[in-house]
Amino acid sequence: EAGVTQFPSHSVIEKGQTVTLRCDPISGHDNLYWYRRVMGKEIKFLLHFVKESKQDESGMPNNRFLAERTGGTYSTLKVQPAELEDSGVYFCASSRDRGIYGYTFGSGTRLTVV
Amino acid sequence: GQNIDQPTEMTATEGAIVQINCTYQTSGFNGLFWYQQHAGEAPTFLSYNVLDGLEEKGRFSSFLSRSKGYSYLLLKELQMKDSASYLCAVRDRSNDYKLSFGAGTTVTVRA
């Protein structure tokens, strides 16, 4: 099966601009997760979708971040307006069940805000 | 939340054995995962422990002691391709879909 696909792989934007990251989960995986790793720190949970519904968005840093999953397939994560501290690697992961045995991760989008 | 600690870096020689330790604190432990991540790539699943003991999978083994809040990942017969970051992640019973990660251990294998 195809893996979790993320686009773009890299993005460099100026402070104040908008960026939209996309994640295509493995087909048939109802659960989709966003995680983020900022420089030198651990990977941290952002939010969890079950199909098109947000189950938990407790990890979202602030209201500049908006995640959507229309139709329960791919998901987007928009950052508007971007700030310097938003730089990092954004990972998407998916699972068929509630991730009992872990997830399949994408390769991530490296976001650099300058 | 969980406090997850693992060493930052380890270096070993090709063919040798390396043990990566991970300690954690959680109120409702519900599983520990090890992931391998090569630079610029996706973290890939290595092992899952929820009961005490050793899980062996080829050259890689993972051990768990829940009473001590301790796990290790053992890499045997090291190969150059094993140079990567190894991530310890813990799940809590209150949130069985969310993983809390350690900062990762970068393993460098030298010839």
Side-chain angles (χ1 to χ4, degrees), chain A residues 6 8-15 17-21 36-39 64-65 77-91 108-114:
Chain A
Q6 293 188 243
S9 57
H10 294 81
S11 180
V12 181
I13 61 171
E14 293 183 349
K15 176 182 172 181
Q17 289 186 320
T18 298
V19 63
T20 300
L21 314 181
R36 176 175 77 166
R37 184 172 198 168
V38 296
M39 182 73 76
R64 296 185 292 103
F65 289 75
L77 179 64
K78 181 192 288 187
V79 185
Q80 178 183 29
E83 298 289 345
L84 298 179
E85 64 264 25
D86 300 333
S87 295
V89 182
Y90 290 76
F91 292 101
T109 294
R110 180 174 295 278
L111 175 65
T112 303
V113 183
V114 297

Side-chain angles (χ1 to χ4, degrees), chain A residues 33 35 37 40-45 48 55-56 58 91 98-107, chain B residues 30 33 35 37 40-45 48 85 87 91 95-104:
Chain A
Y33 316 83
Y35 282 78
R37 184 172 198 168
K41 297 196 173 181
E42 68 274 19
I43 297 173
K44 286 195 172 179
F45 170 86
H48 169 215
Q55 288 294 106
D56 181 354
S58 62
F91 292 101
R98 285 170 65 82
I100 302 299
Y101 298 107
Y103 325 131
T104 301
F105 280 85
S107 298
Chain B
N30 193 27
F33 299 81
Y35 281 83
Q37 186 182 19
E41 297 183 8
T44 56
F45 172 82
Y48 169 67
S85 179
L87 306 169
R91 184 169 56 207
N95 233 330
D96 66 359
Y97 54 80
K98 183 191 298 187
L99 296 182
S100 295
F101 284 86

Side-chain angles (χ1 to χ4, degrees), chain B residues 12-15 80 108-111:
Chain B
T13 306
E14 196 173 15
M80 300 298 286
T108 302
V109 180
R110 293 183 172 163

Side-chain angles (χ1 to χ4, degrees), chain A residues 49-98:
Chain A
F49 282 99
V50 177
K51 296 185 180 179
E52 67 276 6
S53 300
K54 292 177 187 174
Q55 288 294 106
D56 181 354
E57 52 185 331
S58 62
M60 295 287 264
N62 50 61
N63 59 11
R64 296 185 292 103
F65 289 75
L66 175 64
E68 295 180 319
R69 193 183 181 194
T70 307
T73 54
Y74 71 90
S75 174
T76 57
L77 179 64
K78 181 192 288 187
V79 185
Q80 178 183 29
E83 298 289 345
L84 298 179
E85 64 264 25
D86 300 333
S87 295
V89 182
Y90 290 76
F91 292 101
C92 176
S94 72
S95 66
R96 187 178 304 278
D97 52 24
R98 285 170 65 82

